[in-house]
Amino acid sequence: MSAWQQRQQLQQALARQPGDFVAWVMLADVELEAGDIAAGEQAARRALQLRPDHPEALARLGRVAWMAGAFADAATLLGRAAARAPEHPGIALWLGHALEDADDAEGAAAAYRRAHALMPDEPYIAAQRLAWQRRLCDWQDVDALAAQVRAAVANRQGLVEPFAFLSEDASAAEQRACAQARAARVAAAVRPLPPLQVRARGPLRIGFLSNGFGAHPTGLLTVALLEQLRADPALQLHLFALNRTDGSRIRQRLQAATRLHDVAGQRHAETAAHIRAQGIDVLFDLRGWGGGGAPEVLAMRPAPLQLNWLAYPGTSGAPWLDAVVGDAFALPPALEPHYSERVLRLPRAFQPSDNTRVLEPAPTRADCGLPERGVVFCCFNNSYKLNPRSMGRAFAVLQAVPGSVLWLLSGPGHADARLRAAAQAAGVDPARLVFMAKLPHPQYLARYALADLFLDTHPYNAHTTASDALWAGCPVLTCPGDTFAARVAGSLNHHLGLARMNVADDAAFIATARALGNDPAALAALRAELAQARERSGVFDMAGFAADLSALLQQLAGEHGWQGVQ
């Protein structure tokens, strides 16, 4: 039954029995799933009037606050609900989500553990606990949790969030099964719009849907490319922003380069209708399963052609996405059988970048907490990528390069302390781990001047972070794997002409880092080679990227009846 049908039935039932508490709670769920925060709040408040302080009604109001971005209020409401229903796993799970976003990292972990203890066989909850423990670098029981989650995906038992599953050491086939199960749930809940054809003539109207249009990795990656595409007479660019403006310079540039539509807070059906009203021919999903997106909007088919690109490094498993855009390294032919989409490839690295950035002067080593001397290895990937395998080989590199340090991005909660404890257990002085707080992008970028070599992670590579490092002149050492998520840093190296920085296994990774770390002249030569490659390769050539992407879109549209601008 679609959400629209459920809403109709519940509204009819409530017209007959307005005092039906359960129906109001169910209607709140339906409205919130449809993205209608105001209607969801109204239904939840009616339920609360009927039964003051009832945990189910409090929990729905907590979800309302969470969806509206009032995370502290959400945590308070869901905390009250959990106190009144301590045996309710769903409320514990929602409380975990709210505490995450309210920056109570360890509280969120406790909520997820509580939810899992209440429903130990539920894969979705196990996966949520596992994903958050990875973010906190809490590796206790992760092997058992990972085995449970992978078994659930293999046996098609329950749902697992596909984005979190990318951090597991799973195959591309497993990733597809995970994504398809999630997509099937979304598809069952929506009513698609009537089919539409690509226009026959005139500029192609290209839409981009994301919650990252601002000072966010998606905005940072796409802004210079969109500025180049703006001048293309064959294309008309539309951004559909699920996020309200953050006032950033990136948002201003995006707005100047495109027709930006603020669809934040709209019901999914309203957003889909708005996209349809703009006559969009090709719609890019720039969020995928990454969280904060709107797969329900895409499932309604607002555009005749819909593409998966950039934000979600894997197959969507979704019948509403017709193609995925990659490149020959990140998405080689061997992976195609594991993709639900048609594979389209750019002749360059699939990932664009803002090549207008100017590097600020580097701070001093002392300013950053780095020692006066010694090689600085770095890995500014998010903490959920810093798994035991990746950190184990990084520790081996530190042991092989005397006086070196590893510079990391500070994680949530007690993640840093846990990593220091892991270092000590591996025989490495914990003081050799240096942590950088999250900084505004220009300040973060300037710090790469102090780093000698970026040590990548596996199975989830550095993506935007690898692009940042290479743009700022810091070489990236990676070990490409067998999935898209494990091949992005390798793609950037490959297209830069630095394929020797893509190594075969962990032993080669450690040996290469050891050799470079103990040879200052070799490190300096590598940085000089990267500086030249940055200028001569097409990785950071956004004018060339724009031409290639436009040609790909025009060819695709031509296959579906488009005959050109004139």
Side-chain angles (χ1 to χ4, degrees):
M1 184 186 299
S2 72
W4 177 78
Q5 291 170 317
Q6 283 183 293
R7 183 185 299 107
Q8 276 201 323
Q9 287 190 2
L10 288 166
Q11 287 172 340
Q12 289 167 1
L14 286 165
R16 295 190 299 270
Q17 291 184 297
D20 188 337
F21 170 82
V22 173
W24 283 115
V25 169
M26 292 174 66
L27 182 61
D29 282 337
V30 169
E31 299 290 12
L32 292 176
E33 287 299 318
D36 193 332
I37 298 174
E41 180 176 10
Q42 184 180 32
R45 289 197 181 281
R46 288 295 300 271
L48 201 61
Q49 287 172 357
L50 291 168
R51 297 192 188 178
D53 258 8
H54 193 287
E56 297 286 5
L58 285 171
R60 270 63 183 185
L61 277 182
R63 284 190 70 197
V64 166
W66 178 67
M67 289 176 67
F71 302 129
D73 291 344
T76 298
L77 286 162
L78 285 160
R80 284 171 56 193
R84 285 161 177 73
E87 303 303 310
H88 194 309
I91 292 176
L93 180 69
W94 290 346
L95 176 60
H97 294 333
L99 290 169
E100 266 191 50
D101 291 323
D103 294 325
D104 183 353
E106 299 296 333
Y112 289 140
R113 282 194 296 270
R114 175 65 179 162
H116 189 234
L118 291 168
M119 285 191 77
D121 297 326
E122 172 51 51
Y124 184 86
I125 293 177
Q128 291 291 319
R129 176 185 169 188
L130 173 61
W132 195 242
Q133 283 195 206
R134 290 201 184 282
R135 196 173 289 273
L136 289 173
C137 300
D138 178 359
W139 301 326
Q140 185 176 3
D141 300 326
V142 293
D143 289 342
L145 286 167
Q148 178 184 356
V149 169
R150 288 182 68 182
V153 168
N155 297 322
R156 288 166 171 69
Q157 296 172 336
L159 290 180
V160 171
E161 283 299 332
F163 181 79
F165 196 63
L166 295 178
S167 295
E168 302 309 314
D169 198 10
S171 67
E174 289 174 279
Q175 289 178 358
R176 177 172 179 166
C178 180
Q180 283 180 319
R182 182 73 174 85
R185 176 69 62 89
V186 172
V190 302
R191 187 170 61 165
L193 295 168
L196 192 68
Q197 299 298 313
V198 172
R199 73 190 58 251
R201 292 196 178 277
L204 289 169
R205 295 183 187 179
I206 310 299
F208 302 85
L209 179 68
S210 178
N211 68 337
F213 292 132
H216 176 280
T218 299
L220 291 162
L221 289 174
T222 58
V223 64
L225 171 63
L226 293 169
E227 288 169 340
Q228 292 289 336
L229 286 169
R230 172 177 48 188
D232 191 326
L235 309 179
Q236 186 186 97
L237 308 178
H238 295 255
L239 302 190
F240 299 94
L242 296 163
N243 59 310
R244 300 195 188 281
T245 182
D246 57 2
S248 66
R249 175 64 182 147
I250 296 291
R251 178 74 170 219
Q252 293 166 9
R253 290 171 60 192
L254 290 166
Q255 193 146 8
T258 68
R259 301 182 186 189
L260 192 148
H261 307 261
D262 184 345
V263 296
Q266 290 187 356
R267 291 179 59 240
H268 301 316
E270 291 171 345
T271 301
H274 184 76
I275 294 170
R276 174 63 66 91
Q278 307 312 307
I280 300 302
D281 298 297
V282 182
L283 180 62
F284 282 97
D285 181 3
L286 293 189
R287 194 57 188 152
W289 298 119
E296 296 86 354
V297 170
L298 289 134
M300 293 177 191
R301 276 282 183 181
L305 289 173
Q306 300 188 160
L307 274 57
N308 171 14
W309 178 50
L310 195 59
Y312 182 73
T315 183
S316 66
W320 59 81
L321 285 168
D322 305 295
V324 59
V325 178
D327 64 60
F329 189 97
L331 212 173
L335 286 181
E336 284 192 44
H338 308 302
Y339 274 68
S340 60
E341 310 93 335
R342 173 188 175 185
V343 174
L344 303 174
R345 294 186 178 88
L346 291 163
R348 61 183 66 237
F350 80 99
Q351 186 188 75
S353 179
D354 184 4
N355 62 351
T356 70
R357 291 176 289 179
V358 177
L359 295 175
E360 291 187 353
T364 67
R365 288 172 70 120
D367 287 341
C368 300
L370 297 168
E372 284 283 320
R373 295 180 184 81
V375 171
V376 177
F377 297 106
C378 75
C379 181
F380 295 142
N381 283 353
N382 279 313
S383 56
Y384 59 83
K385 299 182 181 181
L386 306 181
N387 56 29
R389 174 182 172 181
S390 296
M391 292 308 298
R393 69 187 186 189
F395 294 151
V397 170
L398 290 179
Q399 289 171 323
V401 182
S404 62
V405 296
L406 178 61
W407 201 5
L408 300 164
L409 184 65
S410 187
H414 303 318
D416 299 358
R418 291 189 181 98
L419 289 172
R420 287 195 176 103
Q424 186 147 27
V428 173
D429 183 352
R432 294 176 72 184
L433 303 189
V434 179
F435 292 92
M436 177 183 75
K438 290 188 176 179
L439 295 166
H441 188 75
Q443 296 173 34
Y444 144 76
L445 205 63
R447 278 155 172 73
Y448 279 110
L450 304 178
D452 294 294
L453 184 64
F454 189 108
L455 302 180
D456 198 13
T457 50
H458 188 91
Y460 201 153
N461 275 183
H463 291 187
T464 307
T465 315
S467 178
D468 290 339
L470 293 164
W471 173 255
C474 178
V476 174
L477 178 64
T478 190
C479 180
D482 297 325
T483 65
F484 195 127
R487 300 182 65 80
V488 173
S491 172
L492 293 169
N493 278 341
H494 171 81
H495 287 93
L496 279 166
L498 292 171
R500 63 192 177 89
M501 298 304 291
N502 295 342
V503 296
D505 52 32
D506 288 356
F509 186 97
I510 295 165
T512 302
R514 180 181 65 232
L516 287 168
N518 288 309
D519 188 342
L523 261 181
L526 176 60
R527 291 185 77 97
E529 185 181 353
L530 171 57
Q532 291 181 348
R534 199 187 83 162
E535 297 303 320
R536 70 170 181 263
S537 79
V539 171
F540 297 108
D541 172 13
M542 290 305 102
F545 199 121
D548 288 343
L549 183 60
S550 179
L552 183 147
L553 292 173
Q554 291 183 59
Q555 179 181 342
L556 179 64
E559 295 172 8
H560 290 80
W562 184 67
Q563 298 171 34
V565 177
Q566 299 301 325

